[in-house]
């Protein structure tokens, strides 16, 4: 469990500058029990759950510099969210405990005023939401001027009503009658602390190509996944049906069999939907001070 705390603590490192790390990583040669900023587990443990007690014990095992970095990261996140924390000291003082209780109340978890894994998870998730990259996604484009020989389209795969599937991606589709193949080339932004741009291509063999439709044969697009494309000339549309397939044994034995229909959509509309969602999430996370002087979540005027 100590490793779990350290892993979560390491997440804060990516939010800190090297200067801040150098200042906060100075070793404290005093005993852990003598550090007034660390929570004590000697009193009131009978009133806590087993999990809370275990987490408190594990926090006691952290080295002073590890715990200080954990508190410092918490203060930086709370300060960023508008909870009035600062300067950042790396000590769990009354100001920080009060901010923690307010934050815990707003996200709907136990108002302990202390650091625990549940609180750390909410803090890091909210910070990741604010840091989310939203690149502009290209518009939908459909070219069928040479339908008997070639067809191409460009867009973003989405499920019905634009709840986005594989949102931060754009795909180019090219079908060639001469080779009886359709190629789908995709550029996708993989999320993370360091977002990575990935690219890949899937090849589909054409089963039907007539005056109105192009339909491909099922193509393996994953270990337990197959996909069919359908291109409709009159509707200027491209759809795909992705099927997750279950087997009696092997790696697909635990897969839930299901079909997911998607459509190549206008990326600019998806971008606007994502931007609106991020705005709503940011309003939920950030606290602002209004003209009355009262600080509260920004969605509550």
């Amino acid at each position: 469990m100590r490793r779990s705390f350290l892993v979560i603590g390491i997440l804060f490192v990516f939010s800190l500058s090297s200067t801040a790390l150098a200042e906060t990583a100075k070793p404290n040669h005093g005993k852990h029990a003598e550090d007034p900023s660390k929570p004590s587990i000697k009193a009131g443990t009978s009133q806590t759950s087993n999990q809370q007690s275990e987490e408190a014990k594990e926090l006691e095992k952290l080295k002073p510099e590890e715990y200080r970095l954990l508190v410092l990261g918490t203060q930086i996140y709370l300060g960023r969210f508008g909870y009035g924390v600062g300067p950042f000291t790396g000590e769990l003082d009354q100001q920080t405990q009060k901010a923690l209780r307010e934050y815990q109340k707003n996200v709907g978890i136990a108002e302990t005023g202390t650091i625990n894994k549940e609180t750390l998870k909410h803090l890091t998730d909210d910070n990741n939401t604010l840091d989310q990259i939203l690149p502009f996604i290209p518009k939908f484009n459909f070219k069928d001027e040479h339908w008997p020989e070639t067809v191409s389209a460009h867009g973003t795969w989405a499920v019905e009503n634009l709840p986005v599937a594989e949102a931060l991606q754009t795909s180019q589709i090219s079908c060639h009658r001469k080779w009886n193949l359709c190629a789908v080339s995709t550029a996708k932004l993989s999320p993370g602390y360091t977002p990575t741009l990935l690219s890949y291509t899937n090849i589909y063999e054409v089963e039907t190509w007539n005056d109105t439709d192009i339909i491909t044969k099922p193509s393996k697009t994953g270990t337990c996944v197959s996909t069919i494309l359908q291109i409709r000339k009159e509707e200027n549309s491209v759809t795909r049906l992705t099927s997750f397939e279950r087997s009696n044994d092997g790696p697909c034995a635990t897969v839930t069999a299901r079909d997911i229909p998607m459509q190549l959509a206008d990326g600019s509309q998806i971008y606007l939907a994502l931007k609106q969602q991020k705005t709503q999430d940011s309003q939920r996370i950030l606290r602002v001070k209004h003209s009355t002087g009262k600080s509260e979540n920004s969605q509550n005027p």
Side-chain angles (χ1 to χ4, degrees):
M1 195 169 183
R2 180 185 178 190
R3 182 178 295 272
S4 298
F5 270 112
L6 289 176
V7 169
I8 296 175
I10 288 171
L11 299 180
F12 286 123
V13 174
F14 295 96
S15 303
L16 309 177
S17 67
S18 58
T19 302
L21 282 174
E23 290 298 319
T24 58
K26 293 178 180 178
N28 183 343
H29 298 293
K31 295 180 181 179
H32 294 186
E34 296 173 353
D35 186 348
S37 69
K38 297 188 71 173
S40 172
I41 61 168
K42 294 180 180 179
T45 52
S46 60
Q47 300 177 0
T48 63
S49 67
N50 290 337
Q51 180 179 358
Q52 290 172 327
S53 179
E54 287 299 316
E55 288 184 3
K57 290 177 181 178
E58 294 303 323
L59 282 173
E60 282 288 319
K61 295 178 183 179
L62 294 179
K63 296 178 181 179
E65 60 268 26
E66 294 172 343
Y67 185 77
R68 184 179 175 85
L69 181 61
L70 197 63
V71 175
L72 180 64
T74 300
Q75 290 175 325
I76 290 175
Y77 282 0
L78 290 171
R80 182 186 190 189
F81 301 163
Y83 284 82
V85 176
F88 308 135
T89 62
E91 295 181 2
L92 194 63
D93 51 24
Q94 290 185 355
Q95 182 189 47
T96 305
Q97 292 178 43
K98 178 183 177 182
L100 274 168
R101 284 191 291 269
E102 291 177 356
Y103 176 77
Q104 290 163 340
K105 179 180 178 180
N106 286 334
V107 299
I109 60 178
E111 300 168 37
T112 63
T114 59
I115 298 174
N116 53 52
K117 288 198 294 185
E118 186 176 24
T119 302
L120 289 173
K121 184 179 186 305
H122 278 279
L123 286 168
T124 52
D125 286 349
D126 285 347
N127 190 69
N128 290 343
T129 296
L130 296 181
D131 284 343
Q132 182 186 12
I133 296 175
L134 291 180
F136 186 78
I137 309 174
K139 293 183 178 181
F140 177 77
N141 185 271
F142 189 93
K143 295 183 178 180
D144 62 348
E145 296 88 349
H146 306 287
W147 178 272
E149 291 85 26
T150 62
V151 177
S152 65
H154 195 174
T156 297
W157 293 112
V159 294
E160 268 187 274
N161 299 323
L162 290 182
V164 181
E166 302 178 56
L168 300 181
Q169 59 85 28
T170 183
S171 294
Q172 173 70 44
I173 299 175
S174 299
C175 295
H176 300 270
R177 186 68 173 270
K178 178 180 179 180
W179 300 311
N180 212 42
L181 296 174
C182 289
V184 181
S185 299
T186 299
K188 181 178 180 180
L189 189 65
S190 177
Y193 282 95
T194 304
T196 304
L197 185 62
L198 306 175
S199 61
Y200 54 90
T201 300
N202 292 316
I203 303 297
Y204 297 81
E205 185 179 354
V206 174
E207 183 173 58
T208 302
W209 189 321
N210 55 37
D211 293 339
T212 59
D213 294 273
I214 299 173
I215 303 174
T216 70
K217 297 179 180 179
S219 177
K220 275 289 185 182
T221 50
T223 303
C224 310
V225 182
S226 65
T227 303
I228 296 174
L229 295 181
Q230 182 170 7
I231 303 174
R232 296 178 177 174
K233 182 179 181 181
E234 293 182 1
E235 299 177 6
N236 282 3
S237 67
V238 182
T239 58
R240 79 180 189 188
L241 182 66
T242 299
S243 301
F244 289 81
E245 302 161 344
R246 180 188 177 94
S247 62
N248 294 329
D249 52 24
C252 302
T254 59
V255 171
T256 300
R258 62 194 186 280
D259 294 333
I260 301 179
M262 301 181 191
Q263 181 165 345
L264 201 65
D266 189 333
S268 61
Q269 294 182 32
I270 292 175
Y271 170 79
L272 292 176
L274 290 173
K275 187 176 180 181
Q276 181 180 14
Q277 182 61 55
K278 182 174 180 179
T279 298
Q280 293 173 354
D281 291 338
S282 297
Q283 290 175 342
R284 170 185 58 81
I285 295 168
L286 298 176
R287 292 167 61 84
V288 298
K289 183 173 290 187
H290 299 284
S291 57
T292 59
K294 183 178 179 180
S295 180
E296 53 188 63
N297 284 85
S298 56
Q299 77 268 29
N300 297 323

